[in-house]
Amino acid sequence: MDARFNLFENELAARFAKRFAGIALVLQDSPLPKSTQELVSLRASQINGCGHCIDMHTKEAAAAGESAVRLHLVAAWRESTVFTEAERAALALAEEGTRLADAHPGVSDETWALVRKHYDDDRIAALVVLVAVINAANRLAVIVHQRGGSYEPGMFAAALG
C-alpha cells in the first residue's frame, strides 16, 4: 500500500502541519513526563492502527531510555506490572478518550478520579490535549496511508526546525 497523499508536500497541508506541530511543542515543554507522553501516544496509536505513529512513538520512547519490556506491554498494560499507578491512570484516559466512536461511554468518572489523584491541573491539561492530538495525528496518517517503518528518532523534532 502506497501513501495516498503527502501532507508535507502540499502547501495548504504544510500550513496545517505547522500549527499542529506548534501544539506538539507546547506538549513537549509541559510538565507531563516525556515517558508518559510516549506511552499514551503509543497506546492510542495501537488502538487506531496507525503504523506511522506506532513506529514514531516506539522509537522515540526507546531513544529516550524506555525499556523494551514496557514498550512491548503497553498493549496489555492492564495485565502488566511494569507501569506506575499514575501511568495506568494516563493509559486508561488514553483508551477511553480514544474509543469514543466505539460506543464507549466516554471517560468514566473512575478514570477521571484516578487522573485527578495523580496529576495536577497543568499535567491534566497536557494529558487531555495529548489524547486529542495523537488521535488527530493517527487519523491524518491512516487516512493518507502514511506507513510505519522508516521513522528515525529525532525526525519529528528536526522537521520542526
Side-chain angles (χ1 to χ4, degrees):
M1 170 176 38
D2 292 329
R4 292 176 170 157
F5 186 79
N6 188 326
L7 291 168
F8 302 102
E9 291 179 354
N10 175 272
E11 184 179 333
L12 181 60
R15 288 175 40 208
F16 286 124
K18 182 177 179 181
R19 273 103 181 140
F20 199 77
I23 296 169
L25 288 173
V26 174
L27 285 167
Q28 287 177 1
D29 292 339
S30 79
L32 187 65
K34 176 73 170 156
S35 60
T36 301
Q37 291 184 41
E38 294 298 347
L39 295 173
V40 163
S41 295
L42 177 56
R43 185 63 190 127
S45 299
Q46 290 171 336
I47 292 167
N48 289 323
C50 182
H52 175 74
C53 294
I54 292 168
D55 187 32
M56 178 189 324
H57 294 291
T58 300
K59 290 174 179 174
E60 289 290 352
E66 191 60 69
S67 75
V69 169
R70 283 170 42 95
L71 291 174
H72 290 303
L73 289 173
V74 167
W77 65 269
R78 281 186 171 84
E79 292 80 29
S80 304
T81 60
V82 297
F83 302 103
T84 68
E85 285 186 31
E87 290 168 338
R88 296 171 73 75
L91 288 165
L93 181 73
E95 283 193 2
E96 291 176 20
T98 297
R99 294 190 185 278
L100 297 176
D102 296 342
H104 193 278
V107 175
S108 68
D109 290 340
E110 178 184 358
T111 293
W112 190 254
L114 289 172
V115 168
R116 276 309 234 172
K117 176 181 175 183
H118 294 286
Y119 297 101
D120 64 17
D121 286 353
D122 287 347
R123 287 171 179 82
I124 290 172
L127 193 53
V128 168
V129 170
L130 175 62
V131 171
V133 168
I134 190 59
N135 274 279
N138 292 162
R139 280 150 179 79
L140 288 168
V142 169
I143 288 168
V144 301
H145 288 172
Q146 192 171 353
R147 311 248 340 238
S150 63
Y151 185 84
E152 295 294 330
M155 283 176 74
F156 183 73
L160 299 178

